[in-house]
Amino acid sequence: MKKNILAFLFIISLFAASCIDDKGSYDYTELADIKIEGIPSVVEVLGYVENITVSPKITSSIEGEIKADNPNYTFQYRLGYKGMGSLGGYDAEGISHPWVDVTPESGFDLNIPANYSANSYVCWFTVTDKRNNVVTSCFFDVIISSTTFEGWLVLCNEGTNERVRLDMISQISSTRIETIHDIAVGLPEIHHATSLGFLPQLGNPGDELSIFSTEGSYLIDNESLESSELMEFNLNQFALDPGETMIAEVPFPASTYSWQVKYRFAFSESGNVYLEDATDGGSAYGFPLNTTEAGSPAEFKVAPFAGFSWVRPWNGMTPKVVFYDIDNQRFVAFQGDVRDVAQQKVSSIREPSKNKLFSYSTGKDMVYMEGTRRSNGLVYAILEDGVGKRSIYGINVGGYGFIQELYIDEVVAPDFEQAEHFAFHSQFPLMFYAVKNKVYLYNLGTKTAKELTDIKLKDSETVTRLKFNLYRNSSYTSLTNQSEEFMNQQYHLIVASYDDAAADETQGGKVAFYSVDGVNDVVSKVVEYTGFANVVDVVYRERAQ
């Protein structure tokens, strides 16, 4: 026992001696305690309008306060969803990146646009000591509120390659309006936009938004305004993919409460029109409607216009929609109940036996057609003959039949034959048209025209869109805003234009609104918004109870 004790003491003495003999071959460096302060636990911002900003204060237990230009440290922010989701998207190899990494351009303050959909996010802030790779971090919540709930959706073509871009004039509150840009998050890069689709629905699945172009069309999530390859229009809206590109969708309003749209018409780039009964749950687009035999292949091409009455509430009569057969140069119509398979077709319109103003077989090319509320449901059409002379037709579809109400064989008006953009008023017999940077008013009653000099555009500007935005909800009583000012907004003339001399081609577009005095044939500017690209379409995203 005594020998064991002596042996143990001997070993301890050797260990102690070795420690005494170690003359400092190890570097004992004190690690600093890094403290991050000044970052709130929650940062709340408006998406696409405000910036996510934080200004931390960083101190070291050894060095004191760390300044932004300290070369011994690097600073990084990492933003991601506070739940499931891949904010960073996918790389070229298809690998998901759930975070967005942000390295401050200088220093350690964060100041980035909140260009993300309304949601709750978490953001990590890390400080790395480059001398020893020691990392200190903290996190905070970021709540981004929606700025896209209500307002004007503005579809643009951006740049020389016409990249499709969705902007918005956001009605954040009754006193605050902001213009926000490029808000269709996740939209595949497509070019040559053609139109916006907006279908108000009180029932499931709710409002539907869509973007159309010559390179493809996509649905947009009605809350986040996000899109993806999986939201391709044909994939989601057709029973069988027709294999052609849709360039427009026109809703036909209904009279029921939950379903604000009775029929939907989708127009293809190749000249077909498809029908869907929107009151049937799970319904989808089927075969082309431009045939005189239900279920048979398309017989002719149609122009991408649907003429019907915009009177609200819908009167419940047999729906009538006018189309134009561009192959045979004639007006045709859809009428009847789509639930009857035999009605899933169009037919020629019977020539009137009396009060005939024109033949429905016109022998002319379609230039433009638009349905209005004028005279209980007047559809206007502009046609052009073989030598370039243009005529105006008016077909009233507000009753039980098709009534010829207007025909102006030859429109005498400045540069009318060169006009590309048109708009017809629903309260007064007025037509507006644009040629380059000039807008004209043509009185359909007096058959007189005048340039609207109150619409002042520079020589370098060109009008890209004229329209009136009639609200699409079937009943005005369901709208959340029924003020006189809001209701009159749908009778304001919308003039979109683009300045070819703009310093930034992504911001050369503007949208202006004008009130119309139909007694004195004049207009007055109400408001104007700038900073858009080349505007293709403007639609108000109305909200209903």
Side-chain angles (χ1 to χ4, degrees), residues 266-339:
F267 293 89
S268 74
E269 187 178 23
S270 60
N272 290 323
V273 58
Y274 297 83
L275 170 69
E276 177 185 340
D277 178 4
T279 61
D280 258 356
S283 61
Y285 284 108
F287 299 105
L289 185 66
N290 44 308
T291 177
T292 57
E293 295 293 333
S296 66
E299 298 178 20
F300 45 81
K301 296 179 180 179
V302 294
F305 306 105
F308 52 82
S309 170
W310 278 86
V311 173
R312 300 291 178 272
W314 185 58
N315 57 22
M317 296 180 183
T318 301
K320 297 180 294 299
V321 182
V322 175
F323 299 100
Y324 195 77
D325 172 358
I326 60 179
D327 287 340
N328 300 294
Q329 298 179 314
R330 57 174 182 158
F331 290 102
V332 293
F334 162 77
Q335 53 185 325
D337 189 347
V338 75
R339 296 173 189 274

Side-chain angles (χ1 to χ4, degrees), residues 366-383:
M366 170 62 68
V367 176
Y368 180 78
M369 185 164 65
E370 178 183 357
T372 70
R373 296 194 179 114
R374 175 75 182 161
S375 188
N376 198 41
L378 190 57
V379 173
Y380 293 101
I382 300 172
L383 302 182

Side-chain angles (χ1 to χ4, degrees), residues 79-84 117-122 141-145:
L79 181 70
Y81 286 111
K82 199 176 179 179
M84 300 295 291
S117 59
N119 214 318
S120 294
Y121 301 84
V122 62
D141 289 340
V142 178
I143 298 176
I144 299 180
S145 300

